[in-house]
Amino acid sequence: MSAAATRAEIAATACGDLFLGAGAILASPTGIIPSIGARLARLTHNPALLLSDGAATLYADTPPIGHPFEVREGSLPYRALFELIASGRRHVIMGAAQLDRHGNQNLSAIGPHDRPTRQLLGARAAAANTINHPTSYFVARHQPRVFVDRVDTVTGIGSDRARALGPAARFHDIRAIITDLAVLDLSGPGGTLALRTVHPGVEVAAVVEATGCALHVPAVTPETRAPDAHELTLIRERIDPDRHREREIPEP
């Protein structure tokens, strides 16, 4: 496996690293790259990670992307799912049409609340996710229209709204924001957006330019970890042999 890791593979590995040391929690990835990451985590550093079909069943196998799960591990009816959510034993990786500097997410609509210009997915339980258990975001295309000063509608709450809620938001935990350019988090002043790592080959200035709101940049910004040879083999030959990942993050 000699070819260097692509940005899609680096982003997928970063998604997988979100589950380091997490143990037997439910991974709920949305999208191809986060799904590759969750499967990579279970095949490497976290074999206890729980994967479901997104409906009501847990599965013991780890099929390639685009192929169905086949080995049933147990039931996950809504009652049990809500128990996992309420106890913090779930980590969801969601998308976002907009994110602001405090990590408030918009999945619902673009434009004024009473006269939106675009109708999107809705809330997708983002409020419950962000108030109960670790939540991360995946953004396939890092651009100013996604990272904005103020989101048009709040579906998942950010650090400022969580702080205003007080103890009711004690489990609020926006763990990371992984994009095609970098990994961000909310470690900036006052819980604001900060640059954690840049993907290999990406300049810090390019990330700043692609971010439409204030971004805290540390004095030294390390590179995002690239997958090792074993992880690359798993991604390319077992988890995503059909290269679905390249549709989500094509090489520049």
Side-chain angles (χ1 to χ4, degrees):
M1 194 61 64
S2 56
T6 65
R7 291 218 191 142
E9 292 160 348
I10 290 168
T13 304
C15 287
D17 284 351
L18 293 171
F19 301 104
L20 271 169
I25 68 166
L26 176 64
S28 295
T30 302
I32 295 170
I33 298 292
S35 295
I36 293 173
R39 295 176 195 204
L40 181 65
R42 183 149 85 166
L43 291 172
T44 56
H45 55 75
N46 191 352
L49 195 64
L50 302 176
L51 298 179
S52 82
D53 58 357
T57 306
L58 296 172
Y59 286 91
D61 59 332
T62 309
I65 297 296
H67 295 247
F69 288 98
E70 295 182 344
V71 183
R72 179 185 169 93
E73 187 173 35
S75 297
L76 186 66
Y78 276 122
R79 180 186 66 256
L81 175 60
F82 287 131
E83 287 176 356
L84 286 176
I85 291 173
S87 62
R89 294 168 56 205
R90 183 188 191 219
H91 187 154
V92 61
I93 307 176
M94 304 185 72
Q98 293 179 325
L99 284 167
D100 69 20
R101 64 191 298 257
H102 288 281
N104 293 292
Q105 172 224 36
N106 176 18
L107 268 179
S108 182
I110 300 297
H113 183 71
D114 56 345
R115 297 180 66 85
T117 58
R118 294 287 186 278
Q119 179 65 53
L120 306 176
L121 292 173
R124 309 295 292 182
N129 293 338
T130 51
I131 206 69
N132 282 298
H133 56 67
T135 299
S136 295
Y137 295 110
F138 169 68
V139 176
R141 189 175 177 189
H142 194 136
Q143 53 184 333
R145 65 189 296 180
V146 175
F147 294 95
V148 296
D149 282 327
R150 184 181 178 87
V151 297
D152 294 336
T153 298
V154 177
T155 47
I157 67 169
S159 60
D160 53 347
R161 283 177 168 77
R163 194 161 45 245
L165 287 172
R170 60 190 181 281
F171 300 118
H172 180 263
D173 180 7
I174 304 299
R175 194 66 58 85
I177 301 145
I178 295 167
T179 79
D180 58 330
L181 300 180
V183 179
L184 315 178
D185 58 25
L186 297 181
S187 64
T192 55
L193 207 59
L195 182 59
R196 180 189 294 178
T197 63
V198 290
H199 298 343
V202 178
E203 299 291 337
V204 170
V207 180
V208 174
E209 184 178 0
T211 306
C213 61
L215 175 66
H216 176 71
V217 178
V220 177
T221 305
E223 283 193 344
T224 310
R225 181 179 81 83
D228 61 26
H230 178 56
E231 291 169 324
L232 267 183
T233 299
L234 286 172
I235 292 172
R236 294 176 179 179
E237 298 182 6
R238 177 166 176 178
I239 301 174
D240 187 27
D242 297 326
R243 307 166 77 113
H244 294 287
R245 61 193 181 278
E246 295 173 3
R247 296 207 309 263
E248 206 157 51
I249 299 184
E251 278 299 275

